[in-house]
Amino acid sequence: MPPMIPILMYHQVGVPAPKGSPYRGLTVHPTDFRRQMTWLKRLGYRGLSMAQLMPYLRGEKQGKVVGISFDDGYRNVFQNAMPVLDELGFTATNYIVARHLDGSNFWDQPKGVPHSGLMSLPELRAWVNAGHEAGSHTLDHVHLTDVSSEIAHYQIVQSKAELQDALQVDVSAFCYPYGDQNQAIREQVRQAGYLNATTTNRGLVRSDDDLFDLPRVTVSRSTNILRFVQKCVTRLEDKRRTVSRS
């Protein structure tokens, strides 16, 4: 059977919010993140950004690789995850909400999620200059299937343009906010000139997967190191695979 590649999905890397806080599980403690990345290195795996992972996803290269992705562009990823990645020689993709640099997770706050800051433009430039990738997470973290086709198109196309202008690099990776997408949205992303797009669907990437409908492996606060290794180096996660229905 051909190899399957995990793309890890993180959000925040910091001290988790108090017990009972909504979405507390989406914050991985820095100590746990370091342990996870260190074990990948020990096991002979390379952590790669989506741009660097593409030859493996296309079947042009083979090797022990894991995609590393972060949603939303949190400052604590810059502060706590980037030094670990740099130390180990790993790269990662951070999906940026393009019009909210130096802002906060406003989309979560009505649900009671504590405030958390997003990277500023100088921090994002430092992230890119260190060899990591900035992908698009739209302009405003919108539900793409809940807005008109015209608004979705603008969010997809303009976020790419504004990030490229600000960073002076190509932006080729996209991530659907909330995992919210369908065939029409995927086609808009493709036509906008992106090369890949990730979802919140569970599973390992197979050689015949649509590059604009890529599943990922969630890493949460409660993911212990044994389960983390199982998710990365076995087919455990693919048993829970979900696929887009539309």
Side-chain angles (χ1 to χ4, degrees), residues 32-124:
D32 293 329
F33 181 78
R34 175 175 285 277
R35 183 180 297 115
Q36 292 160 4
M37 296 299 104
T38 300
W39 270 103
L40 282 180
K41 185 81 169 183
R42 285 175 182 165
L43 293 168
Y45 283 81
R46 294 177 61 212
L48 299 179
S49 67
M50 293 304 299
Q52 293 187 330
L53 194 66
M54 282 294 285
Y56 297 90
L57 298 179
R58 294 191 189 110
E60 298 163 0
K61 286 187 178 181
Q62 292 187 346
K64 296 172 73 172
V65 295
V66 173
I68 302 177
S69 67
F70 299 90
D71 288 14
D72 306 324
Y74 288 101
R75 176 169 287 125
N76 54 35
V77 169
F78 176 81
Q79 295 169 332
N80 299 321
M82 186 171 128
V84 176
L85 297 168
D86 292 349
E87 180 183 321
L88 296 174
F90 290 177
T91 58
T93 298
N94 208 324
Y95 296 111
I96 306 302
V97 186
R99 285 199 176 159
H100 298 275
L101 297 178
D102 208 23
S104 70
N105 54 333
F106 66 91
W107 57 89
D108 277 339
Q109 286 163 23
K111 305 168 192 171
V113 178
H115 169 279
S116 189
L118 305 178
M119 281 193 284
S120 65
L121 180 55
E123 288 168 334
L124 184 56

Side-chain angles (χ1 to χ4, degrees), residues 2 5 27 31 35 44 56 75 83 95 103 109 141 154 156 160 163 172 175 190 192 209 217 220 229 232 241:
I5 298 175
T27 301
T31 301
R35 183 180 297 115
Y56 297 90
R75 176 169 287 125
Y95 296 111
Q109 286 163 23
H141 206 284
Y154 183 74
I156 292 165
K160 177 178 169 71
L163 286 171
S172 62
C175 179
R190 193 189 316 269
D209 277 337
V217 175
S220 66
V229 171
C232 292
R241 182 179 172 94

Side-chain angles (χ1 to χ4, degrees), residues 136-187:
S136 170
H137 210 32
T138 71
L139 293 169
D140 302 301
H141 206 284
V142 298
H143 285 275
L144 288 169
T145 62
D146 286 351
V147 298
S148 68
S149 178
E150 291 76 16
I151 291 175
H153 178 267
Y154 183 74
Q155 288 279 332
I156 292 165
V157 171
Q158 190 64 20
S159 58
K160 177 178 169 71
E162 292 185 14
L163 286 171
Q164 289 182 161
D165 184 62
L167 298 171
Q168 294 299 296
V169 296
D170 186 40
V171 173
S172 62
F174 188 84
C175 179
Y176 308 100
Y178 313 98
D180 187 16
Q181 48 95 12
N182 55 33
Q183 185 174 351
I185 295 297
R186 294 194 295 272
E187 188 56 31

Side-chain angles (χ1 to χ4, degrees), residues 10-17 24-37 70 76-77 79-81 84 219-225 228:
Y10 291 93
H11 285 75
Q12 301 194 54
V13 178
V15 177
R24 179 172 182 253
L26 294 183
T27 301
V28 173
H29 195 281
T31 301
D32 293 329
F33 181 78
R34 175 175 285 277
R35 183 180 297 115
Q36 292 160 4
M37 296 299 104
F70 299 90
N76 54 35
V77 169
Q79 295 169 332
N80 299 321
V84 176
V219 185
S220 66
R221 181 193 64 81
S222 60
T223 303
N224 63 48
I225 193 61
F228 174 81

